[in-house]
Amino acid sequence: MVELHGKRAWDLRPVPWSDLREYTRGLADDGTILLSYGTGPRDKLATKRQLRAMGLRPGGQDPVAVLYFRCRKACRLTFANLYLVEKALPVRPMTPARQAALDKAMAARRTCRECGETGYAELPKAGRTCEPCRYTLGLLDPLDYLHDFLAGESTFGPAGHAALERDLTCGLAAVIPIHRPRRTSGTHTHRTEVRSA
């Protein structure tokens, strides 16, 4: 982890990506060159993500510099390792064995551990159990929305459904907002409603 203490002054020093000395922001605690945002040569240095977009990977090389900038949203300094583009290696191609291994791993995430069925979506990490099996094992709440569909027994009787609909309609009527005044050229005017006779 790179830590900066105080403000960094410009420093003219030799750098690995150029024969000439260049201005940097000094050295980090571990001896890596520090660069502030916008000072590194984009054609010679890149982050891992930028290398990946170019179809390259670092290939075992250590970072030659650390880019730092202030993230305004997080209100903190953010650091990114920079690698030499000329020493980067191409990304390894996807072999049939690797593709088969990835397909097997993704299928394992979608397969229920209880019934063995493979679904279309990834199951939750806790248990990797589908919803019908969760209900059968007693892990699904009886008041859950799936109760009626999975067990085939209704949670409410006819009177319960009527009471639920009545409560929902009464509750929604109280929540409908009143029309707010809108601004028209700086003055407040109320909306006019068109009523049919």
Side-chain angles (χ1 to χ4, degrees):
M1 177 68 187
V2 179
E3 290 188 23
L4 297 180
H5 304 289
K7 195 166 184 168
R8 293 289 183 164
W10 289 102
D11 185 18
L12 188 63
R13 68 175 54 250
V15 291
W17 58 87
S18 175
D19 297 333
L20 304 173
R21 296 190 310 167
E22 290 190 15
Y23 280 104
T24 66
R25 289 294 191 163
L27 296 175
D29 295 339
D30 60 350
T32 312
I33 296 172
L34 284 172
L35 296 174
S36 55
Y37 184 78
T39 59
R42 293 178 184 230
D43 58 334
K44 297 178 182 176
L45 299 175
T47 62
K48 279 186 180 180
R49 186 171 287 184
Q50 291 168 338
L51 287 175
R52 188 67 177 198
M54 292 186 260
L56 302 171
R57 61 186 169 93
Q61 64 172 314
D62 292 329
V64 294
V66 174
L67 174 73
Y68 75 96
F69 57 94
R70 179 163 295 282
C71 179
R72 291 182 182 166
K73 190 172 184 179
C75 297
R76 64 183 177 90
L77 282 178
T78 305
F79 299 93
N81 291 330
L82 296 175
Y83 301 91
L84 289 173
V85 175
E86 63 186 22
K87 288 187 179 179
L89 301 175
V91 176
R92 294 185 185 110
M94 183 65 71
T95 62
R98 283 180 69 193
Q99 185 65 46
L102 285 173
D103 291 343
K104 184 178 177 182
M106 292 307 293
R109 290 181 174 186
R110 293 181 283 123
T111 304
C112 176
R113 291 181 181 165
E114 293 296 322
C115 63
E117 289 190 24
T118 302
Y120 61 90
E122 185 176 335
L123 296 173
K125 285 183 182 178
R128 298 268 188 227
T129 311
C130 64
E131 290 174 346
C133 290
R134 281 181 25 220
Y135 179 77
T136 305
L137 294 171
L139 302 174
L140 193 63
D141 186 16
L143 299 177
D144 196 7
Y145 71 99
L146 291 172
H147 181 79
D148 290 340
F149 301 109
L150 299 177
E153 53 192 54
S154 180
T155 313
F156 295 115
H161 281 289
L164 181 65
E165 287 179 17
R166 184 182 63 248
D167 291 344
L168 287 177
T169 54
C170 292
L172 288 177
V175 182
I176 296 175
I178 300 173
H179 292 291
R180 296 181 186 169
R182 66 176 176 189
R183 292 179 182 239
T184 308
S185 68
T187 61
H188 290 285
T189 59
H190 290 284
R191 293 182 181 163
T192 57
E193 295 181 11
V194 178
R195 296 184 182 186
S196 58

